[in-house]
Amino acid sequence: MATDFKEIANKTLKGCGCLAIGSFALMIVFAIIGSFVDDEENTDGSEGTAQNTEQVEKKDSVIVNEPLETDPYQELDELIGLGRVKDEVRSLANFVKIQKQREAQGLKIPKMSYHLVFTGSPGTGKTTVARIVARIYKDLGVLKKGHTVETDRGGLVSGYMGQTALKTDSLIDKALDGVLFIDEAYALVPEDGSGSDYGQEAISTLLKRMEDNRDRLVVIIAGYSKEMKRFIDSNPGLQSRFNRYIDFPDYSSGELAEIFKMYLRKNQYNITPAGEEMLKEKLDYAVAHKDRNFGNARFVRNIFEKAIQEQANRLSGVSNATKSQLTELTEEDVQKAFNP
């Protein structure tokens, strides 16, 4: 990949006396942007928590993540914003912990479901929190491995009669002793209620495996609030198994600014006071005029990528740029990132 970036940079700057510094700057930018593309889910407010899993598979709408040995409770605390989400997860962990202690003392424990419904807009940290919950469940003895298998409709449904059950079964096998996270789960049930859709086959298979492997499988489903209600209401089996909801609110403009600064720290950049003021102004406007498709932290990540690209464009004509220049984002960089 680095060789390809170098060739692109050389062609772009051919004939320029500042080839060396320009090529170097652009290579850095492209490499950073490439890392964001590879790490699609690191778009919440976490100072590196999304990296605390080892991605061992990414194929056919499926991502398998094996957890590293770090403290999930600390990672939960370090997330930017999401105060109510953190409280809900801690409350869940407290309940499970006490029930396990009661069980160890031979006391009766109420029948409970560990499955969860995460509702909210894109880019609000649902996938990252699902990974943290998986590791908390492992810590509490609910799950043996605590890994996550992340997918959507494409990872469950096949285009041929009878193949969806096999595909869903195979995916669930990978998730045993961990968490199966299904994003945009409502897509399994078409809004028009079409009976010929293979999504119903995936749901039937999932419900059976949730019962058959109730001690080895936790399922977390996620999506927009209204669509997830429609999905749950479409099947009594879903209603009985998913009764704990955690809502993920959109980030405020101030929280989005903190996420932008997190990207600065992680990638050894800083921003001028004027640039920071421009960032605040633009984020205030973006939040005030957002629609339901607003990407939240993903939106901020895209702005950061554009800003460092604008910095590279600005510095491409500078000979022997200083370390300060190579790490600084200006008001102009931020403004062009929002309005290219």
Side-chain angles (χ1 to χ4, degrees):
M1 180 180 293
T3 302
D4 293 338
F5 290 149
K6 185 174 181 180
E7 291 175 357
I8 293 171
N10 287 341
K11 290 178 180 179
T12 303
L13 297 169
K14 186 177 181 180
C16 176
C18 54
L19 176 59
I21 185 65
S23 175
F24 176 73
L26 281 178
M27 285 171 63
I28 291 174
V29 172
F30 288 142
I32 291 171
I33 293 175
S35 71
F36 284 123
V37 173
D38 292 338
D39 188 21
E40 180 66 23
E41 288 305 328
N42 187 23
T43 53
D44 48 77
S46 57
E47 188 78 68
T49 57
Q51 284 83 21
N52 286 328
T53 55
E54 179 185 0
Q55 190 178 101
V56 296
E57 180 180 348
K58 184 174 183 180
K59 181 181 180 183
D60 296 334
S61 299
V62 176
I63 300 174
V64 180
N65 281 289
E66 299 291 347
L68 299 179
E69 298 300 324
T70 51
D71 184 352
Y73 303 95
Q74 179 180 345
E75 292 175 9
L76 180 69
D77 290 339
E78 290 175 351
L79 294 175
I80 294 172
L82 302 179
R84 292 180 62 182
V85 172
K86 295 174 185 178
D87 290 343
E88 289 279 358
V89 173
R90 290 191 196 99
S91 179
L92 171 63
N94 291 339
F95 182 77
V96 173
K97 178 180 179 181
I98 295 303
Q99 299 313 309
K100 287 290 184 180
Q101 291 180 9
R102 286 176 56 87
E103 184 180 30
Q105 295 292 332
L107 299 173
K108 291 183 178 181
I109 58 173
K111 185 178 180 181
M112 64 176 293
S113 172
Y114 297 111
H115 311 299
L116 299 169
V117 182
F118 288 176
T119 61
S121 302
T124 49
K126 296 185 293 296
T127 303
T128 294
V129 173
R131 295 173 184 173
I132 291 174
V133 167
R135 294 167 58 214
I136 288 175
Y137 277 164
K138 177 186 177 184
D139 178 69
L140 295 173
V142 175
L143 297 170
K144 290 182 179 179
K145 289 183 63 179
H147 66 297
T148 58
V149 176
E150 302 156 17
T151 191
D152 54 18
R153 176 189 167 92
L156 297 167
V157 176
S158 178
Y160 302 96
M161 180 75 70
Q163 294 299 309
T164 291
L166 296 175
K167 188 174 184 178
T168 301
D169 263 330
S170 176
L171 189 63
I172 292 172
D173 287 341
K174 295 178 182 178
L176 290 178
D177 299 318
V179 166
L180 175 61
F181 177 78
I182 307 174
D183 197 16
E184 299 180 349
Y186 53 82
L188 291 170
V189 178
E191 195 166 1
D192 61 7
S194 172
S196 61
D197 186 82
Y198 296 134
Q200 292 291 346
E201 186 179 352
I203 293 172
S204 297
T205 304
L206 176 64
L207 291 175
K208 183 178 186 305
R209 291 295 300 273
M210 288 172 69
E211 179 61 27
D212 294 346
N213 301 111
R214 57 184 175 274
D215 295 328
R216 296 186 62 194
L217 177 68
V218 170
V219 180
I220 300 177
I221 55 178
Y224 289 109
S225 300
K226 180 180 177 182
E227 284 83 347
M228 290 305 294
K229 183 179 186 305
R230 173 181 64 79
F231 173 66
I232 296 295
D233 291 345
S234 71
N235 189 305
L238 293 172
Q239 294 175 11
S240 64
R241 288 169 176 81
F242 293 99
N243 51 34
R244 185 183 286 268
Y245 290 69
I246 298 180
D247 182 61
F248 286 68
D250 285 356
Y251 288 109
S252 68
S253 60
E255 289 166 344
L256 292 175
E258 287 303 310
I259 293 172
F260 187 92
K261 293 174 185 177
M262 176 196 72
Y263 283 128
L264 292 176
R265 292 190 297 272
K266 286 173 60 178
N267 294 281
Q268 294 185 310
Y269 284 90
N270 57 64
I271 189 170
T272 65
E276 188 169 352
E277 186 61 33
M278 175 62 67
L279 176 68
K280 179 181 182 303
E281 177 185 323
K282 292 293 187 180
L283 288 176
D284 285 345
Y285 182 87
V287 169
H289 296 83
K290 68 184 178 184
D291 58 23
R292 76 189 302 267
N293 296 316
F294 182 66
N296 286 280
R298 296 180 188 177
F299 171 78
V300 170
R301 183 195 64 188
N302 290 337
I303 293 299
F304 174 75
E305 292 175 8
K306 292 176 182 178
I308 61 177
Q309 177 64 69
E310 292 299 336
Q311 184 224 38
N313 293 338
R314 176 171 54 81
L315 293 178
S316 63
V318 176
S319 231
N320 299 319
T322 65
K323 183 176 181 180
S324 175
Q325 289 175 311
L326 290 170
T327 57
E328 184 176 78
L329 297 184
T330 67
E331 178 182 12
E332 177 187 4
D333 299 330
V334 174
Q335 184 173 30
K336 287 185 176 179
F338 281 91
N339 305 109

